[in-house]
Amino acid sequence: MRRFEAYRSYPVWKFQAKARTLHAGDQELMAHIKIPVATLRPGMYIVDPGISWLKAPLLYMQEGILASNDEINGIILQGFAEAYYDPERSCDENAAAPQPNTPLAVELQNANRIYEDAYENVKNFLESARGGALDLTFARPLVGDIIKSLSRNVDALVTLSLLKKTDEYTYAHSVNVTIFAVAFANFLGMPEDRLHSVGLSGLLHDYGKALIPHEILTAPRSLTFQEVETMRSHVQLGVEKIKQFSSVDQETTEGIEQHHEKHNGTGYPYRLSGKQIGVIGRILSLSDVYDALSSKRVYKGALPPNKALGMMYKMRGQAWAPGYVERFIKMVGIFPVGTAVELSNEHRGIVCRSNTNFPAQPCVLVAQDPDGRTIQPQFVDLTRYIGLRITRSLSVAESAEFDIPALLGGPA
């Protein structure tokens, strides 16, 4: 087996994106700051302000995180004088990443019970939607359990959301969106009382689909124009019903109503744009699209998480306000925990810990050698290995060679 040689080096994760001011809800975050190149430090995120080179020939505009002092020295030697950096996407390479309160293997046991409970409750609730009186008493305690699990170890429930396989997409989708939305809202710094509103919005965001004809919901083909219009009516149908519950606050209802709106005004049902869309609507929209892309549907296969995130990144500034996709990717990781991957040295393994500072460089539990033989699992932190990187996510068939829950220490 090839040895892994460690070096004190940090790989660079770079997105080629135009510089924009970030927003969180209606609160504007820090703007980009212009500084002399002599004051650059590793961990700063440089942005491209979109200024013509002819107007600013001494402005460094290569977007991405500065990985080392050597890279900074190279910028200075090239004769650049200034650069713009984004404090919100910068990180301190010397700062320790926040540590979960509970080990992943332990929290996976708790998270599995919470996920199964959520799935059964959502299924029962949606199946009774066509009937008489509905009971929402399960929702708030369930959201509370999800919030607590994510606070103990965010990777546990997020991992289960990607690993759980079921043919009943609608029910699992509501649970997954709730988990992604609460995790992202917490990542953005929302207080706990608003996390409950986010979670309830996630659980109920597709309630209206229970009122759509089953043959449209499960059609393994492109829908007709009229069927698309019927499908889109699920938003208003759901909101009309949900407003009858006195226990559902206005912010929760608004989030549900806006989860298909788009930043550029091309969404539905009201074609809202920009700041007309509330922060919960934005969070739900990101979570909804991510789970839809990474899940198997009757008309398509599941995309690997990194492919789904790549597609979402291309939609930045159009579907969502600038900065939101970048932050969502930073939260979930380009290669989320539980993803089966192949490394540049042809070893294979499972991502076992995310890295918010360097999302493309997570920790991997290597479990196969280049010949496909099972080996004693070896923990590898990719930020400590120069030249070693993830080359691809494995296919569904290739991933099936691993007992992912067992490797991560969770329930089978």
Side-chain angles (χ1 to χ4, degrees), residues 248-290:
V248 180
D249 60 62
Q250 182 177 348
E251 188 176 36
T252 298
T253 305
E254 181 184 88
I256 297 167
E257 199 165 28
Q258 296 177 355
H259 78 274
H260 280 298
E261 300 289 355
K262 293 184 179 180
H263 182 66
N264 63 3
T266 62
Y268 66 90
Y270 303 118
R271 299 182 71 84
L272 302 179
S273 64
K275 292 184 178 180
Q276 292 178 312
I277 305 170
V279 65
I280 294 184
R282 300 180 188 191
I283 289 171
L284 284 185
S285 175
L286 278 160
S287 304
D288 177 63
V289 172
Y290 178 58

Side-chain angles (χ1 to χ4, degrees), residues 35 37-46 65-69 72 91 93:
I35 59 174
V37 294
T39 62
L40 294 174
R41 295 290 181 270
M44 285 183 171
Y45 191 102
I46 302 303
I65 291 176
L66 296 175
S68 65
N69 284 315
I72 293 169
C91 58
E93 68 167 358

Side-chain angles (χ1 to χ4, degrees), residues 98-104 107 148-154:
Q99 295 299 310
N101 298 326
T102 306
L104 178 61
E107 189 54 36
K148 290 174 184 176
S149 177
L150 291 169
S151 69
R152 290 191 294 264
N153 191 314
V154 68

Side-chain angles (χ1 to χ4, degrees), residues 304-320:
N306 63 308
K307 299 290 187 183
L309 293 169
M311 289 183 65
M312 291 170 65
Y313 183 71
K314 292 178 182 178
M315 298 160 66
R316 68 194 186 283
Q318 301 298 312
W320 305 289

Side-chain angles (χ1 to χ4, degrees), residues 18-82:
K18 296 296 181 184
R20 300 180 177 92
T21 301
L22 304 180
H23 295 82
D26 294 334
Q27 299 299 316
E28 189 173 82
L29 302 176
M30 290 185 183
H32 304 145
I33 300 172
K34 185 166 72 172
I35 59 174
V37 294
T39 62
L40 294 174
R41 295 290 181 270
M44 285 183 171
Y45 191 102
I46 302 303
V47 293
D48 176 1
I51 300 172
S52 168
W53 177 83
L54 294 174
K55 294 182 179 180
L58 300 183
L59 181 65
Y60 181 70
M61 293 183 279
Q62 180 65 49
E63 185 126 353
I65 291 176
L66 296 175
S68 65
N69 284 315
D70 286 343
E71 184 176 1
I72 293 169
N73 290 335
I75 293 170
I76 295 171
L77 289 173
Q78 291 177 65
F80 292 104
E82 297 176 312

Side-chain angles (χ1 to χ4, degrees), residues 125 127 148 246 255 349 352 397:
F125 179 75
E127 286 183 345
K148 290 174 184 176
S246 60
C352 60

